[in-house]
Amino acid sequence: MAPGFKKGAKDSPVDKITDDILADIFSRVPYKSICCCKCVSTRWRDLFSHPDHRKKLPQPLAGFFHKGYNKNRFPSEAQYFTNVSGKGDPLVHPSLSFLPNYDSLDILDYCNGLLLCQCCNTSDYVVCNPATEKWVDVPATEWSSEAQARIGFDPAVSSHFHVFEFIDEEGWGIAEEEQHDCFNRIEALAIYSSKAGGWKHQNFDGFEFAVFYDSRSVFFNGILHVATSEGFILAIDVEGNDRGLVTIPIPPYNDDVFVDDIFLSQRQLCTACVDRSQLTVWVLEDYKSEKWTLKHNASLLELFGEGYRGTVISFHPERNCIFVVCGHENTLMSYDMDCRKMCSICQLERDCQPKRVKTPFLPYVPLYSEPLADGN
């Protein structure tokens, strides 16, 4: 609460500050303090949601894009958006109806307010900002129909973005008898720059790894980080030059456990491992020395009850909180690591059990401040 401000006071000095000035002050306040400020008064709460000030103010996690599959429904696979509160109409309509001339789109990835989508019948990409309803068309490569694509974007650096295509041996055209033992080994990388307006590609000579289907990646400090099948994180810059490898912490007593997702929370790379008995959360403390710190562990029995194991789908971007899907009805839950409290958000129902191995959940934080470079 601001100095000199008393709740209920009629002639508080703060009352004389205009909304524009308050919004400018709040834009410099850390996220955790913002959450407290919203509780001070009705005026302050409304200030954060007002369209005239959203461009200046940090936005909270709004919800998740995710897929569902039901063989008795047409189309059998559908896209959903679930609010993080579990209540109310979706903040974003998952059909992205503001995009013209796109009858069927697949949402592939999310990064800092932008969605990477792919047109199902042409394989062309569309990068869009649902908060501003702006979009940019990205032409497909000859490998786009088979490649795994990710997006990199940092609005604090530039309004331009990059699309990364990971192309396996089969997609690259290597004959089956000449392929390596590593299944779906990535042979090449193609990178699109919205600033340059074109693609460039290069081979992964000397690297043997695969990228898990629908695994989460993280774009941070100009580097794309993606988990691989060989137990390490591939870190690569937008030019495709800086190829770093970071080993992922895996419990030594569980050879069958692998980590296929990485996350970003409070400006640190994080990962979570669910083994036979416990949930462990790790944070990369030092990038150069690959030092991971065990941040949290909890018993699966205490969290979910006997016979259940949850799947960690996301970390909260600004809090010590993770999101988990658990049970036959795919219950979306949040787990506060500080108070060790699990809260049920909503049931996603069995439709959100896809025909593939797992459902990709993409967290969404609205971005109102930046237009897309050369966007529509």
Side-chain angles (χ1 to χ4, degrees):
M1 189 176 295
F5 181 77
K6 296 182 179 180
K7 192 173 182 179
K10 295 183 179 179
D11 299 316
S12 167
V14 178
D15 289 341
K16 299 178 182 178
I17 300 177
T18 65
D19 286 354
D20 287 339
I21 295 177
L22 271 179
D24 187 63
I25 293 172
F26 288 143
S27 68
R28 307 165 196 271
V29 174
Y31 177 84
K32 289 185 178 180
S33 300
I34 288 289
C35 296
C36 297
C37 291
K38 290 182 180 181
C39 302
V40 169
S41 68
T42 302
R43 179 197 174 195
W44 285 24
R45 182 199 65 197
D46 294 342
L47 185 72
F48 286 93
S49 60
H50 197 284
D52 290 345
H53 304 300
R54 288 186 300 194
K55 292 183 179 181
K56 293 182 179 180
L57 302 173
Q59 298 299 311
L61 176 66
F64 301 93
F65 288 95
H66 55 97
K67 296 177 183 177
Y69 178 77
N70 186 328
K71 65 180 181 180
N72 298 317
R73 180 189 58 202
F74 182 82
S76 58
E77 196 167 54
Q79 193 78 45
Y80 299 90
F81 184 89
T82 297
N83 294 335
V84 75
S85 65
K87 302 176 182 178
D89 295 333
L91 177 69
V92 181
H93 198 288
S95 69
L96 305 176
S97 57
F98 62 88
L99 295 173
N101 304 321
Y102 293 106
D103 296 329
S104 181
L105 281 175
D106 195 12
I107 300 176
L108 305 180
D109 198 15
Y110 162 85
C111 185
N112 292 324
L114 299 188
L115 293 177
L116 173 64
C117 308
Q118 188 171 39
C119 186
C120 297
N121 55 357
T122 66
S123 297
D124 288 338
Y125 297 108
V126 180
V127 174
C128 68
N129 183 342
T132 60
E133 299 191 349
K134 300 294 183 180
W135 76 93
V136 173
D137 296 313
V138 177
T141 69
E142 60 184 284
W143 312 285
S144 295
S145 60
E146 301 294 335
Q148 295 197 52
R150 305 289 189 270
I151 184 172
F153 172 65
D154 187 350
V157 176
S158 172
S159 59
H160 289 282
F161 61 86
H162 293 81
V163 177
F164 300 78
E165 279 191 343
F166 293 92
I167 309 160
D168 65 20
E169 291 180 306
E170 182 178 356
W172 192 249
I174 296 177
E176 184 176 354
E177 61 272 14
E178 298 178 5
Q179 295 178 15
H180 290 69
D181 293 334
C182 178
F183 182 68
N184 287 340
R185 174 185 177 271
I186 299 301
E187 174 68 19
L189 173 71
I191 303 176
Y192 176 86
S193 166
S194 64
K195 184 176 183 179
W199 291 90
K200 65 178 183 179
H201 70 270
Q202 54 192 273
N203 289 74
F204 275 113
D205 296 327
F207 284 79
E208 287 195 17
F209 67 92
V211 175
F212 295 107
Y213 178 82
D214 284 338
S215 63
R216 289 291 314 282
S217 61
V218 169
F219 187 76
F220 180 50
N221 287 339
I223 304 290
L224 182 75
H225 304 81
V226 58
T228 73
S229 60
E230 301 305 306
F232 62 81
I233 295 171
L234 175 69
I236 190 164
D237 68 9
V238 296
E239 299 298 328
N241 297 325
D242 187 5
R243 300 180 181 181
L245 304 177
V246 181
T247 302
I248 301 175
I250 298 176
Y253 48 83
N254 272 330
D255 294 335
D256 60 337
V257 173
F258 60 88
V259 177
D260 62 348
D261 278 326
I262 54 173
F263 307 92
L264 186 67
S265 180
Q266 301 173 85
R267 299 190 63 77
Q268 287 184 303
L269 290 177
C270 308
T271 190
C273 179
V274 178
D275 62 22
R276 286 168 286 188
S277 62
Q278 66 177 345
L279 162 73
T280 54
V281 175
W282 302 80
V283 174
L284 184 60
E285 295 284 359
D286 188 281
Y287 200 94
K288 293 183 178 179
S289 65
E290 301 183 24
K291 180 184 177 182
W292 292 85
T293 298
L294 179 62
K295 182 174 183 176
H296 188 84
N297 63 347
S299 164
L300 296 186
L301 181 62
E302 294 178 1
L303 292 179
F304 308 114
E306 189 171 357
Y308 289 101
R309 294 174 61 183
T311 300
V312 177
I313 63 165
S314 184
F315 279 58
H316 194 286
E318 301 291 348
R319 293 167 44 198
N320 290 327
C321 176
I322 61 176
F323 296 90
V324 180
V325 172
C326 175
H328 298 304
E329 298 300 325
N330 292 306
T331 302
L332 176 62
M333 311 178 80
S334 64
Y335 176 62
D336 189 314
M337 291 182 282
D338 290 333
C339 63
R340 306 182 75 89
K341 183 179 180 182
M342 184 77 80
C343 294
S344 176
I345 297 176
C346 66
Q347 288 186 337
L348 302 175
E349 307 300 339
R350 297 191 181 187
D351 274 11
C352 289
Q353 198 69 262
K355 60 182 179 181
R356 301 186 180 95
V357 177
K358 68 173 186 175
T359 300
F361 286 82
L362 299 176
Y364 175 69
V365 177
L367 175 68
Y368 296 97
S369 60
E370 288 287 340
L372 271 171
D374 303 322
N376 296 291

